[in-house]
């Protein structure tokens, strides 16, 4: 997948997020992760959506991947903390 295709899929996914279609948006971000596993933004978004949908363990795994790819990704750390706290398990956020 080239950069233009990735950009198109991200834009489509963000539009779906904005319209509340989270499962569909996550499918686009997951597709980007499959094709470009080094895309920290796609891992962040897929993890954040997973958390919002109540898939805590999946969210934590994806957010850890985003942090692995970009160690200073503040948004990933914040989302990881929020998801872990809302799940009542601060230990989930430990890296």
């Amino acid at each position: 997948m080239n950069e233009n295709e990735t950009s198109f899929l991200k834009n489509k996914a963000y539009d779906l997020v904005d319209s509340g279609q989270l499962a569909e948006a996550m499918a686009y971000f997951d597709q980007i992760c499959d094709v470009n596993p080094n895309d920290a933004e796609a891992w962040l978004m897929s993890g954040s959506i997973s958390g919002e949908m109540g898939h805590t363990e999946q969210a934590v795994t994806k957010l850890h991947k985003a942090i692995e790819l970009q160690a200073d990704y503040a948004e990933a750390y914040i989302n990881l903390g929020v998801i872990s706290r809302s799940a009542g398990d601060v230990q989930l956020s430990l890296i």
Side-chain angles (χ1 to χ4, degrees):
M1 179 179 307
N2 67 38
E3 191 173 320
N4 287 336
E5 292 169 326
T6 299
S7 181
F8 174 80
L9 288 179
K10 282 182 182 177
N11 288 335
K12 179 69 174 165
Y14 280 115
D15 288 343
L16 290 166
V17 168
D18 290 343
S19 66
Q21 298 176 63
L22 299 182
E24 294 85 352
M26 188 168 67
Y28 278 101
F29 286 118
D30 285 345
Q31 182 180 355
I32 295 166
C33 291
D34 288 343
V35 175
N36 184 3
N38 294 320
D39 190 321
E41 178 187 4
W43 286 107
L44 166 78
M45 290 305 299
S46 184
S48 298
I49 293 168
S50 293
E52 195 164 328
M53 293 175 65
H55 307 296
T56 304
E57 288 183 34
Q58 184 182 50
V60 168
T61 298
K62 291 176 178 183
L63 291 168
H64 279 182
K65 180 66 176 177
I67 291 166
E68 176 186 317
L69 293 169
Q70 188 176 326
D72 63 347
Y73 209 163
E75 189 174 355
Y77 283 106
I78 291 167
N79 289 354
L80 184 59
V82 169
I83 289 167
S84 298
R85 182 181 169 119
S86 68
D89 188 352
V90 175
Q91 294 299 313
L92 285 173
S93 66
L94 299 178
I95 296 176

